[in-house]
Amino acid sequence: MSCEPAARSPTTPNPPPSSSPAGFPAALRARLVTPSLLVADLIVALAAMPVIDVARRRMGVVPLARWARRMGRIAPSRGPEGRSRLRRAIFGLDTRWPGGPNCYRRVLVEMALDRGAAGERLHLGIRRADNWSEGHAWLESSPGESAIYDF
């Protein structure tokens, strides 16, 4: 037996060209691009989070929502995948933010960073019991979040 590679016959087709300009197969390219875009979304959200956190303590609900909408109107528009990635980045930062997670802060950051979110209706709900009350904020496109707080 010979250790040399078998010669190609003239009828053997050439391997298909790569589907990406960088030479990566499409499945591998998707795995490489998504984390890098998530890091970019994390950086943008990290820059916006402290500004909105301070503003939500100093401004009223209506002026702050208007400000976030103005910022969002000049932000890039994202498709469903980009919007989901942005929400994951904001949620990841918010859960580790000093003072604990806050749904109102998450919604405001999303409105300020995404043109689609800036155009959506902001919902604020309050649930009261005997000795306590709690609130929740969500955007119209947030699936299933309104069920607990609808009146």
Side-chain angles (χ1 to χ4, degrees):
M1 290 195 136
S2 170
C3 292
E4 305 216 1
R8 294 182 60 127
S9 70
T11 58
T12 306
N14 289 332
S18 174
S19 59
S20 85
F24 291 109
L28 179 59
R29 188 180 66 226
R31 281 191 238 149
L32 293 174
V33 170
T34 302
S36 64
L37 291 174
L38 181 60
V39 170
D41 286 337
L42 278 168
I43 291 168
V44 170
L46 186 58
M49 192 84 73
V51 173
I52 288 178
D53 198 36
V54 169
R56 79 180 176 89
R57 296 172 190 275
R58 305 219 187 291
M59 298 172 73
V61 173
V62 174
L64 184 53
R66 285 183 183 150
W67 176 83
R69 286 187 198 287
R70 278 196 309 271
M71 294 295 103
R73 286 189 188 114
I74 61 172
S77 186
R78 300 165 191 269
E81 184 179 317
R83 182 95 177 262
S84 175
R85 195 176 47 244
L86 178 65
R87 281 184 175 164
R88 284 194 314 266
I90 293 169
F91 182 79
L93 286 173
D94 187 58
T95 57
R96 292 161 181 83
W97 202 256
N102 184 282
C103 55
Y104 183 50
R105 178 176 50 223
R106 283 194 304 269
V107 167
L108 291 170
V109 171
E110 186 176 351
M111 286 171 58
L113 297 180
D114 182 66
R115 185 177 298 165
E120 287 187 33
R121 181 175 297 180
L122 169 63
H123 294 274
L124 300 171
I126 298 174
R127 184 170 58 181
R128 293 189 179 148
D130 295 331
N131 296 330
W132 60 269
S133 65
E134 68 179 6
H136 186 55
W138 68 96
L139 290 173
E140 206 163 28
S141 68
S142 301
E145 290 196 30
S146 62
I148 299 171
Y149 294 90
D150 277 345
F151 300 107

